[in-house]
Amino acid sequence: MSIRRPTNGPEKAVADWWRTDIIDMTPGEIGYYGYPIEDLIGNVSFTQMIWLMTQGSLPSPEKAKLLDAALMSAVDHGPQAPSIAIARMAATCGVGLNNAMASAVNVLGDVHGGAGEQAMALYQMIDDIVQNDGVDVVVATQKGLEKQRELFGKFIPGFGHRFHPVDPRAPRLMAVVEGAKTDGEVEGRFLAIAQQVELQLEQEKGQKIPMNIDGATAVIYAELGVAPELARGLFCLSRSVGILAHAWEQTQQGGRNKGPIPRDLLWTYDGPAKRSVPDSD
Amino acid sequence: MSIRRPTNGPEKAVADWWRTDIIDMTPGEIGYYGYPIEDLIGNVSFTQMIWLMTQGSLPSPEKAKLLDAALMSAVDHGPQAPSIAIARMAATCGVGLNNAMASAVNVLGDVHGGAGEQAMALYQMIDDIVQNDGVDVVVATQKGLEKQRELFGKFIPGFGHRFHPVDPRAPRLMAVVEGAKTDGEVEGRFLAIAQQVELQLEQEKGQKIPMNIDGATAVIYAELGVAPELARGLFCLSRSVGILAHAWEQTQQGGRNKGPIPRDLLWTYDGPAKRSVPDSD
Amino acid sequence: MSIRRPTNGPEKAVADWWRTDIIDMTPGEIGYYGYPIEDLIGNVSFTQMIWLMTQGSLPSPEKAKLLDAALMSAVDHGPQAPSIAIARMAATCGVGLNNAMASAVNVLGDVHGGAGEQAMALYQMIDDIVQNDGVDVVVATQKGLEKQRELFGKFIPGFGHRFHPVDPRAPRLMAVVEGAKTDGEVEGRFLAIAQQVELQLEQEKGQKIPMNIDGATAVIYAELGVAPELARGLFCLSRSVGILAHAWEQTQQGGRNKGPIPRDLLWTYDGPAKRSVPDSD
Amino acid sequence: MSIRRPTNGPEKAVADWWRTDIIDMTPGEIGYYGYPIEDLIGNVSFTQMIWLMTQGSLPSPEKAKLLDAALMSAVDHGPQAPSIAIARMAATCGVGLNNAMASAVNVLGDVHGGAGEQAMALYQMIDDIVQNDGVDVVVATQKGLEKQRELFGKFIPGFGHRFHPVDPRAPRLMAVVEGAKTDGEVEGRFLAIAQQVELQLEQEKGQKIPMNIDGATAVIYAELGVAPELARGLFCLSRSVGILAHAWEQTQQGGRNKGPIPRDLLWTYDGPAKRSVPDSD
């Protein structure tokens, strides 16, 4: 039978099962949120396309620049990161780059990939307190931090770093947001909240617990109105670049079945000493 | 350098980073929880090995039979299940069976794979009430169901089925557990709890909401002392069999880039009508 | 112990096991191919960062625009594509967006994701014939097509489309490449080869077998000097955008355990009729 | 609409799109290759179910014992194996056991998981020479080894081991196959071929290149008539057990974002020295 878009009859339910707002297609035509692909090609950047696909509208070049900054800054944190190590190990096991990327992006879960999403949720909780309780950012941040610790424990997502005394990405990203605020591109509400969180953490501890990459990209995504859950998805896109780069470098380096440590080192075994299998009867 | 197990010096920290109780290995020797592999081969079944690897001890053949029943009963629920559909679609995309299995087992998440784990948690909550509050199973089940609904909403995991009026696997699995109880292999505490849950649900609704596969395998895993989170892992092993079977059948059937519905049917598009890309300046 | 980069002793072999040219890191400093991250942020786009990470150098804005065009044009081909369908199904199974993305990008294998890589290999084979045999593009394309069919069968990767009489992305992308050639950004050697392949296919068949998205992006990647295997990786990045967009839309639509077709339709069963399990003894 | 199996009309094509021999289902009934699930439960083991699902028939308990031996012997080769290391690292990233299993089983590709499949192909090539050329096993093995090296290089899959001078699993598995041959359960043709390969390798090299786990399980799968590609799938099932066991142990050990080496060791950086980002205009 010929290609068709069912509009009634028993096949309509089948077509509706896969309904979407994102893409329309008929033979010879492809449109994303109504924009013909041939009009988009050459006129919008990859980053603008990422926005269109996930938000449904075309961003201004200035907004796209903010998204650019968030996406380009989180691509890689070295082969000690599980996502990167997995990509490199996978690349030596006889699978394609698509598979290496999949095994790696898969682990960007609540711990490895969730801090940005959690920082956004914190900022939004504080912003909600400002909006609803008629208090200023200082008080709202006090209340917000208190509630955050009540719900999730003492760890404040987006601040402090195991490795970097100051995460070099965060102040630079904040400068970019400041610029966008000056230009009237964003309101700066979440920037102010994040800076207030950083300040109060310092006052509490008597030393700076500086904003990290997750806290900084969370400011950008919040200023841009991205949903926290989607922000994790965008982080996955970003980190996919580093994952691909390392999988590809490892492919070129060669190696077979790369394990985590050199082959001649054995792990520590802590289990029972050698013993006999009991007779099964 | 030669293969070695560091016991001190700077390499010890590297060896410790990968410490495990599960497997010991030196050139020519492999032991699982202390049992030499050559003694296990031919003497224990695959199912007993699954137990050894995840629990650290060799199960009796009778206990292994219970695990057998839980594992073999959840292998497949047809190509409408997302895990199975994904396996079949993946098999037509030019990836290996390992990749098709990975894409499919990956989606056995909280919704697709979590009902058994949740049913176990419910049974254990009821059992805790029995142990701690000195009430009988009837009262503990009333309290447990109340608390469950308070915490997680009205849906009771492990009971009722969208498709099957009575899930044919559940009564048969319960008969197997009854047999094991009669033989003194298991206590039957969780069997009694699950039956009580089923009874109270029927009394509440005025009609039977029969136990389903998740509720039934949860009884077996609970009787065997398996942790709820691990039970999901065992379900993943079980479903991996159906996933493999369907990926393999699809490979033999052929096809390229199998989509979810026949190629000539287009989906319903609900987005904006065709529109022009605005000038970017 | 404190964070350190071993330069000798037993730990050096461990550090070397993870050697890389891509990223350097010390506390407070991150550099990609030598560029400090704080200098890159705000100065290079996400697309330029993709190039830097995978090629090791910063591209000119004009080259980045070509890469932009290739990346933004392949993001999505609708929910009939297995990668997109898998993303949507996964999103209803109780897993994170990272997991939905992984299951989906995983299937961009030789069939679903390989045509671009194969088209590049064909173009490069033809280009090698031009370089080595001293023949012109017309003759080299004749020889190349012949050899291609000998090795891989009659299907010519990158040309013709099951669905689109003319793939609307290809001519537009070729116009972008033409522009870059006019501006002296690329040589246009692979553009000429691809156009010659299209012409000869038309002459052979008596009707146009027009270039498709894979054939077109292959021209861009070849002009940019990207290795064919890496081109597949870049396609995976590109398609990850559509995968994310659909997973996210499905998340917002809701649904639990979305199968491929509406729930009330059962599949066709072709196996043996109902039969008894034989006695096992 | 009610649940239905379309037998004609427009919905028939949709039902046929998902046709299968494996599973039949109507409300209240589930059958695998015609066997009602309630008859299988309690009567067949998990291993017999694996056979039924992938081969379409119920195996004798003796054949199932052979399959048991192959499956239970390949579950784990320690945390140095990429599949196991990935499982452990994934388990610390905030994803479920299903996701950890997926990332890990995904890498059982041509290199990490393919040696068994390749050994089977070699045995079958030798067996084909015996059948078709009317020569004995000795001559057929000579010819087969020659052809193997011509096609795939000097590495003979299934023999020799980087780590074990003698792989302790192989001789024990061969003893199990010998027993099955004595009992008339299998012909022993592939056992003889594998032994002949081992012998000729020793004669060539002047020292034993002993059969490894891949060569040994390949004998079992070949004796059982399993297709080589499916054998890789069965290995994936087998290794999934070790993957699950290690992911679970790591979950219990705790840890966040476990990288491949202790956190205080940095990798070796080989890229360009620190440099300035050039002005973009």
Side-chain angles (χ1 to χ4, degrees):
Chain A
M1 268 195 281
S2 59
I3 291 165
R4 64 201 174 282
R5 170 157 290 154
T7 52
N8 54 47
E11 288 179 339
K12 180 64 163 66
V14 178
D16 280 354
W17 190 251
W18 288 98
R19 67 189 322 134
T20 179
D21 285 9
I22 301 174
I23 184 169
D24 191 16
M25 224 165 75
T26 55
E29 293 195 309
I30 303 173
Y32 299 103
Y33 285 103
Y35 296 119
I37 180 66
E38 63 273 21
D39 291 2
L40 292 167
I41 291 174
N43 290 317
V44 306
S45 69
F46 185 43
T47 298
Q48 286 174 299
M49 195 73 182
I50 292 171
W51 182 288
L52 172 63
M53 292 296 286
T54 55
Q55 306 285 336
S57 63
L58 280 171
S60 66
E62 291 74 23
K63 286 224 166 67
K65 251 193 122 172
L66 268 186
L67 184 56
D68 254 330
L71 289 171
M72 63 76 72
S73 64
V75 292
D76 186 12
H77 203 251
Q80 285 272 54
S83 52
I84 301 296
I86 288 173
R88 295 192 76 112
M89 287 163 48
T92 68
C93 292
V95 299
L97 286 176
N98 53 312
N99 308 124
M101 291 172 73
S103 276
V105 82
N106 203 31
V107 305
L108 300 173
D110 286 344
V111 174
H112 194 0
E117 189 181 342
Q118 292 151 23
M120 283 187 77
L122 170 63
Y123 300 161
Q124 295 203 330
M125 181 168 65
I126 294 171
D127 191 53
D128 286 349
I129 296 174
V130 172
Q131 312 291 328
N132 301 330
D133 297 8
V135 295
D136 66 12
V137 171
V138 177
V139 175
T141 300
Q142 286 164 345
K143 290 187 175 196
L145 284 174
E146 202 174 311
K147 192 159 181 198
Q148 173 78 19
R149 283 164 172 148
E150 220 179 280
L151 292 170
F152 305 109
K154 65 178 181 168
F155 167 73
I156 299 300
F159 294 84
H161 201 285
R162 175 183 68 73
F163 184 87
H164 299 298
V166 176
D167 186 326
R169 297 164 291 188
R172 186 68 189 101
L173 286 169
M174 286 309 91
V176 169
V177 180
E178 291 276 10
K181 186 187 154 194
T182 304
D183 296 346
E185 287 298 325
V186 297
E187 271 191 57
R189 251 160 61 212
F190 294 99
L191 173 61
I193 287 171
Q195 287 168 333
Q196 185 57 227
V197 170
E198 194 175 39
L199 183 68
Q200 293 196 11
L201 290 177
E202 183 176 1
Q203 289 166 346
E204 286 174 12
K205 313 275 178 188
Q207 61 168 4
K208 207 155 187 180
I209 315 288
M211 189 186 294
N212 60 32
I213 177 75
D214 300 308
T217 52
V219 169
I220 295 182
Y221 291 132
E223 292 288 347
L224 291 172
V226 171
E229 190 179 351
L230 177 59
R232 165 139 28 139
L234 293 172
F235 168 63
C236 293
L237 279 185
S238 171
R239 181 53 58 93
S240 291
V241 175
I243 286 168
L244 171 60
H246 282 274
W248 176 236
E249 188 189 53
Q250 184 67 57
T251 300
Q252 292 170 296
Q253 283 180 12
R256 289 170 62 89
N257 295 331
K258 181 191 182 89
I261 51 176
R263 291 175 188 284
D264 40 22
L265 290 185
L266 288 179
W267 59 92
T268 298
Y269 173 67
D270 279 339
K274 195 168 169 175
R275 51 181 172 166
S276 299
V277 175
D279 282 345
S280 63
D281 41 22
Chain B
M1 269 193 280
S2 59
I3 291 166
R4 62 200 176 282
R5 171 157 293 154
T7 52
N8 54 48
E11 288 179 338
K12 180 64 163 66
V14 178
D16 281 355
W17 190 250
W18 289 97
R19 67 189 322 132
T20 179
D21 285 9
I22 300 174
I23 183 168
D24 192 15
M25 225 165 76
T26 55
E29 293 195 308
I30 304 173
Y32 299 103
Y33 285 103
Y35 297 119
I37 180 65
E38 63 272 20
D39 290 2
L40 292 167
I41 291 174
N43 290 317
V44 306
S45 69
F46 184 44
T47 298
Q48 286 174 297
M49 194 74 182
I50 293 170
W51 182 287
L52 172 62
M53 292 294 287
T54 55
Q55 305 285 335
S57 63
L58 279 171
S60 66
E62 291 74 23
K63 286 226 166 66
K65 250 193 122 171
L66 267 186
L67 184 55
D68 254 331
L71 289 171
M72 64 74 73
S73 64
V75 292
D76 185 14
H77 203 250
Q80 285 272 54
S83 53
I84 301 295
I86 288 172
R88 297 192 75 114
M89 287 163 47
T92 68
C93 292
V95 298
L97 286 176
N98 53 312
N99 308 124
M101 291 172 73
S103 276
V105 82
N106 203 32
V107 305
L108 300 174
D110 286 344
V111 174
H112 194 358
E117 189 180 342
Q118 293 151 24
M120 283 188 76
L122 170 63
Y123 300 162
Q124 294 202 332
M125 179 167 66
I126 294 172
D127 191 52
D128 286 348
I129 297 172
V130 172
Q131 312 292 329
N132 300 331
D133 298 7
V135 295
D136 66 12
V137 171
V138 177
V139 174
T141 301
Q142 285 164 343
K143 290 186 175 197
L145 285 174
E146 203 174 310
K147 191 158 180 200
Q148 173 78 19
R149 283 165 174 148
E150 220 178 278
L151 292 170
F152 304 108
K154 64 179 182 166
F155 167 73
I156 299 299
F159 294 84
H161 202 285
R162 175 183 67 74
F163 184 87
H164 299 297
V166 177
D167 186 326
R169 296 164 293 188
R172 187 67 190 100
L173 285 170
M174 287 309 92
V176 169
V177 179
E178 290 276 10
K181 186 188 153 192
T182 304
D183 296 346
E185 288 297 327
V186 297
E187 271 192 57
R189 249 158 63 212
F190 294 99
L191 173 62
I193 287 171
Q195 287 169 333
Q196 184 57 226
V197 170
E198 194 175 38
L199 184 67
Q200 292 195 13
L201 289 178
E202 183 177 1
Q203 288 166 347
E204 285 174 13
K205 312 274 177 189
Q207 62 168 1
K208 207 154 186 180
I209 315 288
M211 188 186 295
N212 61 31
I213 178 75
D214 299 307
T217 52
V219 169
I220 295 182
Y221 291 131
E223 292 288 347
L224 291 172
V226 171
E229 191 180 351
L230 178 59
R232 166 145 23 145
L234 294 172
F235 168 63
C236 292
L237 279 186
S238 171
R239 180 53 59 92
S240 291
V241 175
I243 285 168
L244 171 60
H246 282 274
W248 176 237
E249 189 189 52
Q250 183 67 56
T251 300
Q252 292 170 296
Q253 283 179 12
R256 289 170 63 89
N257 295 331
K258 180 191 182 90
I261 51 176
R263 290 175 190 283
D264 40 21
L265 291 185
L266 288 179
W267 60 93
T268 298
Y269 173 66
D270 279 340
K274 194 168 169 174
R275 51 181 172 166
S276 298
V277 175
D279 281 345
S280 63
D281 41 24
Chain C
M1 268 193 281
S2 59
I3 291 165
R4 62 200 175 283
R5 171 158 292 153
T7 52
N8 54 49
E11 289 180 337
K12 180 65 163 66
V14 178
D16 281 355
W17 189 250
W18 289 98
R19 68 190 320 134
T20 179
D21 285 9
I22 300 174
I23 183 168
D24 192 14
M25 224 164 76
T26 55
E29 292 196 308
I30 304 173
Y32 299 103
Y33 285 104
Y35 296 120
I37 180 66
E38 63 273 20
D39 291 1
L40 291 167
I41 291 175
N43 290 317
V44 306
S45 69
F46 185 44
T47 299
Q48 286 173 298
M49 195 74 183
I50 292 171
W51 182 288
L52 173 62
M53 293 294 287
T54 54
Q55 305 285 335
S57 62
L58 279 171
S60 66
E62 291 73 24
K63 286 225 167 65
K65 249 193 122 171
L66 268 186
L67 184 56
D68 254 330
L71 289 171
M72 64 73 74
S73 64
V75 291
D76 186 13
H77 203 252
Q80 285 272 54
S83 53
I84 301 295
I86 288 172
R88 296 192 74 112
M89 288 163 48
T92 68
C93 291
V95 299
L97 285 176
N98 54 312
N99 308 124
M101 290 171 74
S103 276
V105 81
N106 204 30
V107 305
L108 300 174
D110 287 344
V111 174
H112 194 0
E117 189 180 341
Q118 292 151 23
M120 282 187 77
L122 170 64
Y123 300 162
Q124 295 203 330
M125 180 168 67
I126 294 170
D127 192 53
D128 286 349
I129 296 173
V130 172
Q131 312 292 329
N132 301 331
D133 298 9
V135 294
D136 65 12
V137 172
V138 177
V139 175
T141 300
Q142 284 165 345
K143 290 188 175 194
L145 285 173
E146 203 173 311
K147 191 157 181 201
Q148 173 77 18
R149 284 165 173 147
E150 221 178 277
L151 292 170
F152 305 109
K154 65 178 181 166
F155 167 73
I156 299 300
F159 293 84
H161 202 285
R162 173 185 68 74
F163 184 87
H164 299 297
V166 176
D167 186 325
R169 298 164 290 189
R172 186 67 189 100
L173 285 169
M174 287 309 91
V176 170
V177 179
E178 291 276 9
K181 185 187 155 194
T182 304
D183 296 344
E185 288 296 326
V186 298
E187 271 193 58
R189 252 159 62 211
F190 294 98
L191 173 62
I193 287 171
Q195 288 169 333
Q196 185 57 226
V197 169
E198 194 175 38
L199 183 69
Q200 293 195 12
L201 290 177
E202 182 176 2
Q203 288 166 346
E204 286 175 13
K205 312 278 178 185
Q207 60 168 4
K208 206 154 187 179
I209 315 289
M211 188 186 296
N212 60 32
I213 178 75
D214 299 308
T217 52
V219 169
I220 295 182
Y221 291 131
E223 292 288 348
L224 290 172
V226 172
E229 191 179 350
L230 177 59
R232 169 150 14 149
L234 294 171
F235 168 63
C236 292
L237 278 186
S238 171
R239 181 53 59 92
S240 291
V241 176
I243 285 168
L244 171 59
H246 282 274
W248 176 236
E249 188 189 54
Q250 184 68 56
T251 299
Q252 292 170 296
Q253 283 179 12
R256 290 170 62 89
N257 295 331
K258 181 191 181 90
I261 50 176
R263 290 176 189 284
D264 41 21
L265 290 185
L266 289 178
W267 60 91
T268 299
Y269 174 66
D270 278 341
K274 196 168 167 174
R275 51 180 171 166
S276 299
V277 175
D279 282 345
S280 62
D281 41 22
Chain D
M1 267 194 280
S2 59
I3 291 166
R4 63 200 175 282
R5 171 157 290 155
T7 52
N8 54 48
E11 288 179 339
K12 181 65 163 66
V14 178
D16 281 355
W17 190 250
W18 288 99
R19 67 188 324 132
T20 179
D21 285 8
I22 300 174
I23 183 169
D24 192 14
M25 225 165 76
T26 55
E29 293 196 309
I30 303 172
Y32 299 103
Y33 285 104
Y35 297 119
I37 180 66
E38 63 272 20
D39 290 2
L40 292 167
I41 291 174
N43 290 317
V44 307
S45 69
F46 184 45
T47 299
Q48 286 174 298
M49 195 72 183
I50 292 170
W51 182 287
L52 172 62
M53 292 295 287
T54 54
Q55 305 284 336
S57 63
L58 280 170
S60 66
E62 291 75 21
K63 286 225 166 67
K65 251 193 121 171
L66 268 186
L67 183 56
D68 254 331
L71 290 171
M72 64 75 74
S73 64
V75 291
D76 186 12
H77 203 252
Q80 285 272 54
S83 52
I84 300 296
I86 288 173
R88 296 193 76 113
M89 289 163 46
T92 68
C93 292
V95 299
L97 286 176
N98 53 312
N99 308 124
M101 291 171 73
S103 276
V105 81
N106 203 31
V107 305
L108 300 173
D110 286 345
V111 174
H112 194 0
E117 188 180 341
Q118 292 150 23
M120 283 189 75
L122 169 64
Y123 300 161
Q124 294 202 331
M125 180 168 65
I126 294 171
D127 191 53
D128 286 348
I129 297 173
V130 172
Q131 311 292 328
N132 301 330
D133 297 7
V135 295
D136 66 12
V137 171
V138 178
V139 174
T141 300
Q142 286 164 343
K143 291 186 173 195
L145 284 174
E146 202 174 313
K147 191 157 181 201
Q148 173 78 19
R149 283 164 173 150
E150 220 178 279
L151 292 170
F152 304 109
K154 65 179 181 167
F155 167 73
I156 299 299
F159 294 84
H161 201 285
R162 174 184 67 75
F163 184 87
H164 298 297
V166 177
D167 186 327
R169 298 164 291 188
R172 186 67 189 101
L173 285 169
M174 287 309 92
V176 170
V177 179
E178 291 276 9
K181 185 187 155 193
T182 305
D183 297 345
E185 288 296 327
V186 298
E187 271 192 58
R189 249 159 64 212
F190 295 97
L191 173 60
I193 288 170
Q195 288 168 333
Q196 185 58 226
V197 170
E198 194 175 37
L199 184 68
Q200 293 195 13
L201 290 178
E202 183 176 2
Q203 289 166 345
E204 286 174 13
K205 313 275 178 188
Q207 62 168 4
K208 206 156 187 178
I209 314 288
M211 188 186 296
N212 61 32
I213 178 75
D214 299 308
T217 51
V219 169
I220 295 183
Y221 291 132
E223 292 287 348
L224 290 172
V226 172
E229 191 180 350
L230 178 58
R232 165 141 27 142
L234 294 171
F235 168 63
C236 291
L237 279 185
S238 170
R239 180 54 58 94
S240 291
V241 176
I243 285 168
L244 171 60
H246 281 275
W248 177 236
E249 188 189 52
Q250 183 68 56
T251 300
Q252 293 170 296
Q253 283 179 12
R256 290 170 62 89
N257 294 333
K258 182 191 180 89
I261 51 176
R263 290 175 189 283
D264 41 21
L265 291 185
L266 288 178
W267 60 92
T268 298
Y269 174 67
D270 279 339
K274 195 168 167 173
R275 52 180 170 165
S276 299
V277 174
D279 282 344
S280 62
D281 40 25

